[in-house]
């Protein structure tokens, strides 16, 4: 459908033509007629569907056709950047209409905002917190408000703005027209919608998924490998601009510093930066002055930045919707893009939701534990060094897997078994010197132990070794005697009798020597009884000079 078919005012059509808005998007085609018919709307649509135009275009047309006697529309958004973008679109679309608008957002000059509110505007675009603060000072007149828009309602809920939203809604007349747009519809948003809207028309645009023009990769790695991988990616592919998303404000600043140390020019945006700083960084990125911008989710939704080459999720998004919004910054306007997500073990649950996006093409790659800035990296090489076996859905990369590989990625031999490298075979066949296998494979080691002469040097045996040898000798003696008895039990040979005689002779000699030794010991004891024993001290000296008389 063309905008010219919607019966809009000539001034508004002129503004649309200036910005090349000729045909309506699906969400605009469905929403604009109902808004013009003064109906409440619940629109489920995501970033990039044109939903900003879906409510700005009909509201501007309705204001032009009515009395302009005060504030006519209030638009609430979750972030300053989105508020500024909506305000810019109001200015562009209404360039020929004379419609006025003001942004009421944190980080900007409070007094300048108050002055604009007192002077009077047609449309206020605000973030909830600053809008409440301004109302305390300016005491805004809400009696003329006819339109209330809650944009990115689920995001405002996530950011804790539900109490502020409820408070602001209470200030606005009930006979207004309410338009609520949200990418998802949590129960809290459904409850809020049912309490503030009258017979709303539901417009649902099919949940978007990442564009086919975006090449998606997820690298499974360790935390300390993130910076080396980012640097390798920047060095190995052609790119012009990149947005890196982080989950925390502190992480944004730290990453910006790390990138600068690597020689990468980068800016940053997060909630703690002043609005001036955020504007300068965003404009520098849009103008190409800095190629990389590091940001939290503040620019993930609703921000129209053209020609972004690559998106890097340095921290895994907490939901699949956030993932879609983030990578939706690239691959726009029929152009290709790249989306890279860095996944650590602690991100497995959040990444699981992303991995389950239906019909989504996401390639998962495992990095080796040894990967660092000095490792070889090639973006277009399917078997990039450092990859490990992937996950279960078949979209993974494997370092060594290919035709003729088993599940572990090792190449198979002709017999179908996993072929191992020569070094691994050597490790498996070579045994430690003292192991049983080594002794079996080298019989000489046993001979050397039993016969020291073979080794070239004497071997000192332990008591256990000597005992073992004695046992072996006894066993051999018993076995020979048993063999002799079994061979000739009636008539032992002459050699055996002679051996027994020699043994008896040795025993008699041993007993005789023992008797002599005992006699010598007894004589020594008797002699020692009459030997003078030394004494200590002075008494010892006296005893040593006094003769000792023998006692009977």
């Amino acid at each position: 459908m063309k905008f010219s078919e919607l019966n809009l005012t000539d001034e508004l059509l002129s503004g649309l033509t200036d910005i090349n808005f000729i045909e309506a998007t699906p969400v605009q085609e469905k929403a604009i007629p109902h808004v013009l018919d003064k109906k409440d709307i619940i629109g489920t649509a995501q970033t990039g569907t044109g939903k900003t135009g879906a409510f700005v275009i009909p509201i501007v047309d309705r204001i032009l056709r009515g009395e302009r006697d005060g504030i006519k529309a209030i638009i609430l958004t979750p972030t300053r950047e989105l508020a500024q973008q909506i305000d810019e679109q109001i200015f562009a679309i209404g360039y020929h209409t004379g419609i006025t608008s003001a942004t009421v957002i944190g980080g900007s000059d409070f007094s300048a905002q108050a002055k604009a509110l007192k002077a009077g505007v047609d449309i206020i675009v605000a973030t909830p917190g600053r809008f409440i603060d301004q109302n305390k000072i300016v005491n805004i007149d809400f009696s003329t408000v006819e339109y209330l828009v809650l944009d990115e309602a689920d995001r405002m809920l996530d950011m804790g703005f539900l109490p502020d939203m409820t408070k602001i809604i209470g200030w606005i007349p009930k006979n207004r027209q309410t338009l609520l747009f949200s990418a998802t519809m949590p129960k809290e948003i459904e409850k809020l919608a049912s309490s503030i809207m009258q017979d709303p028309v539901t417009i649902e645009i099919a949940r978007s998924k990442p564009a086919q023009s975006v090449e998606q990769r997820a690298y499974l790695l360790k935390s300390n490998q993130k910076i080396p991988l980012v640097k390798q990616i920047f060095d190995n592919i052609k790119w012009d601009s990149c947005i890196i998303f982080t989950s925390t404000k502190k992480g944004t600043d730290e990453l910006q510093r790390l990138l600068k140390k690597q020689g990468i020019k980068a800016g940053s945006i997060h909630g703690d930066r002043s609005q001036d700083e955020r504007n300068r960084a965003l404009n520098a990125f849009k103008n190409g002055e800095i190629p990389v911008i590091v940001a939290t989710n503040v620019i993930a939704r609703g921000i129209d930045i053209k020609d972004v080459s690559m998106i890097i999720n340095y921290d895994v998004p907490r939901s699949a919707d956030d993932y879609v919004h983030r990578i939706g910054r690239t691959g726009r306007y029929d152009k290709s893009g790249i989306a890279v997500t860095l996944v650590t073990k602690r991100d497995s649950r959040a990444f699981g939701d992303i991995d389950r996006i239906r019909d989504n093409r996401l390639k998962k790659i495992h990095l080796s534990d040894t990967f660092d800035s000095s490792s070889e990296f090639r973006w277009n090489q399917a078997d990039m060094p450092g990859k490990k076996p992937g996950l279960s859905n078949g979209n993974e990369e494997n370092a060594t897997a290919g035709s003729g590989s088993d599940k572990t990625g090792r190449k198979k031999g002709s017999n179908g078994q996993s072929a191992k490298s020569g070094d691994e075979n050597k490790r498996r066949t070579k045994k430690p010197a003292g192991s049983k296998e080594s002794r079996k494979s080298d019989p000489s080691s046993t001979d050397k132990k039993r016969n020291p002469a073979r080794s070239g040097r004497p071997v000192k045996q332990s008591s256990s070794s000597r005992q073992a040898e004695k046992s072996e000798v006894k066993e051999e003696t018993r076995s020979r005697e048993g063999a002799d008895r079994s061979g000739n039990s009636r008539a032992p040979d002459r050699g055996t009798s002679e051996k027994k005689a020699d043994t008896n002779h040795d025993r008699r000699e041993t007993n005789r020597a023992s008797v002599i030794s005992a006699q010598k010991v007894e004589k020594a004891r008797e002699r020692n009884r009459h030997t003078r024993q030394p004494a200590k001290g002075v008494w010892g000296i006296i005893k040593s000079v006094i003769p000792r008389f023998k006692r009977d």
Side-chain angles (χ1 to χ4, degrees), residues 48-208:
T49 57
K51 61 182 174 56
T52 301
F55 58 79
V56 167
I57 292 171
I59 287 176
V60 170
D61 184 79
R62 290 290 307 279
I63 292 175
L64 289 174
R65 295 178 185 275
E67 295 182 5
R68 298 171 60 182
D69 55 354
I71 300 171
K72 291 298 180 179
I74 294 175
I75 302 171
L76 297 180
T77 70
T79 66
R80 308 170 191 177
E81 285 73 23
L82 182 54
Q84 287 181 318
Q85 183 171 299
I86 293 172
D87 185 61
E88 290 171 2
Q89 194 161 99
I90 292 170
F91 175 79
I93 290 173
Y95 184 78
H96 300 284
T97 64
I99 293 289
T100 59
S101 63
T103 55
V104 180
I105 56 178
S108 297
D109 191 334
F110 192 93
S111 60
Q113 293 175 5
K115 186 177 180 180
L117 291 173
K118 289 176 181 178
V121 292
D122 296 309
I123 303 173
I124 294 175
V125 187
T127 51
R130 175 54 70 91
F131 191 60
I132 290 174
D133 292 340
Q134 281 288 3
N135 189 48
K136 293 177 182 177
I137 304 300
V138 179
N139 193 18
I140 301 170
D141 181 10
F142 295 101
S143 61
T144 58
V145 175
E146 297 179 3
Y147 310 98
L148 170 66
V149 180
L150 303 177
D151 192 20
E152 301 283 4
D154 56 342
R155 181 73 176 137
M156 287 193 281
L157 175 68
D158 292 340
M159 297 174 69
F161 286 143
L162 184 58
D164 291 344
M165 291 163 58
T166 305
K167 189 173 185 178
I168 293 169
I169 292 169
W171 295 340
I172 302 173
K174 292 184 178 180
N175 58 341
R176 64 180 180 270
Q177 186 175 359
T178 304
L179 312 177
L180 185 151
F181 290 87
S182 181
T184 59
M185 200 58 60
K187 291 182 180 179
E188 293 86 349
I189 296 300
E190 290 180 355
K191 185 177 179 181
L192 175 66
S194 64
S195 65
I196 65 173
M197 306 179 85
Q198 298 177 357
D199 299 324
V201 175
T202 300
I203 296 172
E204 197 166 338
I205 302 300
R207 174 178 174 174
S208 64

Side-chain angles (χ1 to χ4, degrees), residues 351-377:
F351 180 70
D353 294 336
I354 295 168
D355 194 28
R356 287 189 290 270
I357 295 176
R358 191 172 181 179
D359 299 328
N360 189 33
R361 296 179 180 177
L362 176 62
K363 184 187 295 183
K364 294 179 288 296
I365 302 170
H366 290 251
L367 285 191
S368 167
D369 292 344
T370 59
F371 179 87
D372 56 23
S373 56
S374 63
S375 301
E376 183 182 359
F377 179 88

